[in-house]
Amino acid sequence: MSALTGSSTLDAFTGEELAGLLTSRKAARIVLMRGTIHLVTAKDCHRLRPLVQPALDRMLRTNATHGKPLGAVDVTAVVDAAKRLLDAGALTPGEVGARLAEQWPGTPPGSLAEAARSLLPLVEVPPRAPWQRSAQVRLTTATAWLGKPRGKGLTIDDLMVRYLAAFGPASAADVQTWSGLSRLGEVIERLDLMRVKSEGGQTLYDVPDAPRPDPDTPAPVRLVAPFDNILLWHANRTRVISDEHRKRLFSGKNGVFPGTVLVVALRGRVLDKVVEGNRLLESAFKVTEPQVAFAA
């Protein structure tokens, strides 16, 4: 979650509150689902990373830039050396790569730094992370920054239920798209979940006690920040945005899409080419068409 997402979806949320959580080490930014940076609580920082590590391992092995050079070295030794460095203090990715290259001079420093990033639970330390502050990324290990993990860990079943509680009804493919993990169909089938059918006949799953508003419940205009879950965390996104408009939004570098505005009509459909709705957006938000999320 970003501060922009939080302020648009949570009541009384402020960037200053988030900054306080980060600087007090109650929250942290770390590589998690799909190999991207996520902002989570300190507790979840420790509990989520082991669950998604298989996906990060796979992504590193198959990386077109780093997979081959790392295949020629003892990656376990690289990770052990990186851990010693980053347990001792925070370093930039460039510094990590340069320090490791002293021991592995034949390997690109960027690949060595990527091995550390992918295979170690590293957090970004302030002042980089707080809202409305900018600084160079500096990394240290989660244990060095947050302390040792405490309490019971999470299972893959727990992860599945938590996803559905937040984003259900959904399919196993949706959870796989969100997490980067594979073969989750057998996990979802063994859980005690509610099963519903989509408009297209696909089986979707949800937690039994999830809230289910009436389909005609009005929904306010919503700011959809870059990397917002509504456009990223389902395999089937046509429930929110048409494939045509999605391609236009996701035309930027690294899949980054601009901030958008979600306008929901009755029965959960997004307004598409509705003159009145377009006039409202243009007058209230002064946005151009590519900045508005549509669905047929």
Side-chain angles (χ1 to χ4, degrees), residues 68-92:
K68 186 174 181 180
L70 290 175
V73 300
D74 183 348
V75 175
T76 299
V78 171
V79 172
D80 287 344
K83 184 177 185 303
R84 288 192 294 271
L85 288 173
L86 293 163
D87 274 339
L91 299 172
T92 68

Side-chain angles (χ1 to χ4, degrees), residues 27-271:
R29 285 164 50 93
I30 185 173
V31 174
L32 289 172
M33 287 69 73
R34 307 178 309 281
T36 59
I37 295 289
H38 284 71
L39 193 157
V40 294
T41 65
K43 187 175 182 179
D44 275 348
C45 185
H46 284 307
R47 299 194 302 172
L48 291 174
R49 179 59 183 251
L51 293 176
V52 300
Q53 190 59 52
L56 302 179
D57 294 346
R58 183 187 69 249
M59 293 168 63
L60 183 64
R61 288 194 305 269
T62 59
N63 186 285
T65 301
H66 307 299
K68 186 174 181 180
L70 290 175
V73 300
D74 183 348
V75 175
T76 299
V78 171
V79 172
D80 287 344
K83 184 177 185 303
R84 288 192 294 271
L85 288 173
L86 293 163
D87 274 339
L91 299 172
T92 68
E95 290 169 341
V96 174
R99 295 280 295 274
L100 293 174
E102 295 173 4
Q103 300 180 58
W104 290 273
T107 305
S111 297
L112 296 169
E114 184 61 27
R117 175 184 182 274
S118 297
L119 303 180
L120 286 173
L122 304 180
V123 299
E124 294 184 359
V125 301
R128 166 69 178 186
W131 176 238
Q132 292 185 329
R133 299 182 193 174
S134 179
Q136 193 171 15
V137 173
R138 300 187 70 84
L139 304 169
T140 189
T141 61
T143 300
W145 185 251
L146 302 173
K148 294 182 179 180
R150 290 181 291 180
K152 184 180 178 182
L154 292 177
T155 67
I156 194 66
D157 293 28
D158 296 327
L159 186 67
M160 180 76 72
V161 171
R162 286 181 60 170
Y163 172 87
L164 292 174
F167 306 114
S171 67
D174 290 328
V175 192
Q176 291 174 173
T177 296
W178 166 74
S179 66
L181 298 170
S182 59
R183 296 191 293 274
L184 295 182
E186 60 189 51
V187 177
I188 206 168
E189 285 294 337
R190 70 177 177 237
L191 297 174
D192 181 18
L193 299 171
M194 182 177 183
R195 289 161 171 77
V196 297
K197 291 289 185 181
S198 69
E199 293 177 356
Q202 182 186 24
T203 299
L204 302 177
Y205 302 83
D206 206 354
V207 292
D209 57 349
R212 293 178 178 82
D214 185 278
D216 291 338
T217 301
V221 174
R222 173 183 165 181
L223 174 65
V224 181
F227 299 107
D228 193 280
N229 66 76
I230 199 170
L231 294 180
L232 286 179
W233 291 3
H234 293 80
N236 177 8
R237 296 167 185 138
T238 59
R239 284 174 277 173
V240 177
I241 185 170
S242 67
D243 287 335
E244 175 189 359
H245 289 110
R246 180 176 172 273
K247 289 177 182 177
R248 292 170 58 190
L249 283 179
F250 282 76
S251 60
K253 184 178 179 181
N254 295 329
V256 177
F257 57 86
T260 60
V261 177
L262 180 67
V263 185
V264 184
L266 292 180
R267 300 193 179 279
R269 305 301 293 177
V270 182
L271 295 178

